[in-house]
Structures are given as structure tokens and as C-alpha cells.
Amino acid sequence: MLDGEAIGEHSFSISTSGDAREVVSEANFVVKVLGIPVYRYGHKASESWRGDCLAQLVSFTDDGGKVSQVRAHAGKDGQLDVTVGSTTRSLPGCTMSFAYWNPVMRQQTKLLNAQTGAEERVQIRRLGEATLDVRGEPVAAQRWRISGAAAPVDVWYSAQGEWLGLDSTVAGGRKLSYRLK
């Protein structure tokens, strides 16, 4: 939602086999003014994980007409090789993306941005608890803030570590919110 108005969905499909996970993320947003589309955002990413380490990523994003593609795969030496356009660089060790669905993300100091391919320094800290409306029901939630290069993102989790939602301020001071459906 943007400022409380529905603009689309961002779905995450996660399949697990042992310590391997396959994640497909798909977002489609359309912002309208007086019923006329003024902004469109589309993003699709396919990720392969081994434990809590990203092993492979392929993403495509159309952000209001600005298109980006990112590819990453684990190299032989334990690094993650990330390609954006014709440039490839290696990230050392176990790398995670902004994998909100994985509560282990809260322990990281660097995260890979699947839209830009940038490795972003982050600080993640717990801010407290509140009640969040999830699937039409009030749910006790823990609020965690991710601060870094971009605007802060508040991520909400249940006491069991299930990702419940997200809030962030975007262009024009508008509030972008996700809630579990």
C-alpha cells in the first residue's frame, strides 16, 4: 500500500529441500492519480540459497521505465560473483540479500540489493513491539529497523520469526507498507 491505498502485490514463493531454498519474488505496483497510471514498478527475482547464504540470483526490475538486471552466482572460492551490465565483482563469504522472509537477515551488516546489485552496509536494530493488523487480525509484532544508504525500512516479525510486514518512506515522503496476506 502507498499512503494506505492498495497499489499492487509483492509475492514470495519459498520451497525448501534440506538446507537448500529456492525463492521467487515478484512485485507489480501501479500508482494512479485520478485513475490514471502515473508510475509502474515491476520486479522479479529468482534466488537459490544454501543455508543462509545466497548461492544464485537472477533479477529483472523496471522502476518507472528504468530497467536493471542483476545476476549472481557462488564462485569456486566461496565468493559470490555479482554481474550488473558488463561489470562483475566478487563479494566475500556468505552473502545475504534483503531477504526479509529470513529472520537471520537481522544479524547482517551488509546486504545485497537484488534490484541494483549493490552491496549495502546496513545497521539492523530492534525498536520494540506493537500490534499489527495481519490478515484482518491483530498480531503481536516485533519491529526491526534497517538503516543504511537508502531510507530506513521497518520490518515486522511475529514472536516466532515469521515476516509480517514492512514500512518505509519513499519518494515525496510517502509511506510504502507491506502486510502479510
Side-chain angles (χ1 to χ4, degrees):
M1 301 214 298
L2 185 64
D3 294 334
E5 298 292 324
I7 59 168
E9 291 189 357
H10 194 161
S11 65
F12 291 82
S13 173
I14 303 169
S15 57
T16 304
S17 176
D19 78 336
R21 278 181 254 185
E22 299 296 322
V23 180
V24 176
S25 164
E26 214 168 333
N28 290 294
F29 306 149
V30 178
V31 177
K32 298 178 182 180
V33 174
L34 300 173
I36 300 169
V38 295
Y39 172 76
R40 294 179 189 276
Y41 176 88
H43 173 78
K44 183 168 185 176
S46 296
E47 300 175 352
S48 297
W49 292 76
R50 298 294 171 257
D52 292 317
C53 302
L54 188 60
Q56 185 170 323
L57 163 75
V58 176
S59 75
F60 176 85
T61 306
D62 182 341
D63 185 356
K66 181 182 177 190
V67 173
S68 60
Q69 294 183 1
V70 177
R71 294 186 177 277
H73 68 277
K76 296 175 188 171
D77 52 5
Q79 298 186 124
L80 186 70
D81 297 327
V82 180
T83 303
V84 179
S86 60
T87 304
T88 299
R89 69 182 191 300
S90 295
L91 303 178
C94 178
T95 299
M96 288 189 85
S97 63
F98 282 80
Y100 305 119
W101 50 268
N102 186 344
V104 172
M105 182 200 67
R106 300 177 294 194
Q107 302 166 11
Q108 305 305 304
T109 58
K110 294 178 185 176
L111 295 170
L112 176 66
N113 184 321
Q115 178 174 325
T116 65
E119 182 183 41
E120 297 184 16
R121 290 190 179 279
V122 296
Q123 300 84 38
I124 303 174
R125 62 188 168 96
R126 186 172 172 178
L127 293 182
E129 297 184 8
T131 300
L132 206 63
D133 185 43
V134 177
R135 298 179 178 132
E137 299 289 328
V139 175
Q142 300 171 352
R143 180 176 163 203
W144 293 75
R145 174 155 296 158
I146 303 170
S147 303
V153 175
D154 290 345
V155 186
W156 299 89
Y157 293 93
S158 70
Q160 296 76 29
E162 180 183 26
W163 177 39
L164 302 174
L166 171 153
D167 293 308
S168 185
T169 302
V170 295
R174 302 183 81 183
K175 183 180 178 183
L176 177 69
S177 297
Y178 285 22
R179 292 299 180 263
L180 182 64
K181 284 177 76 174

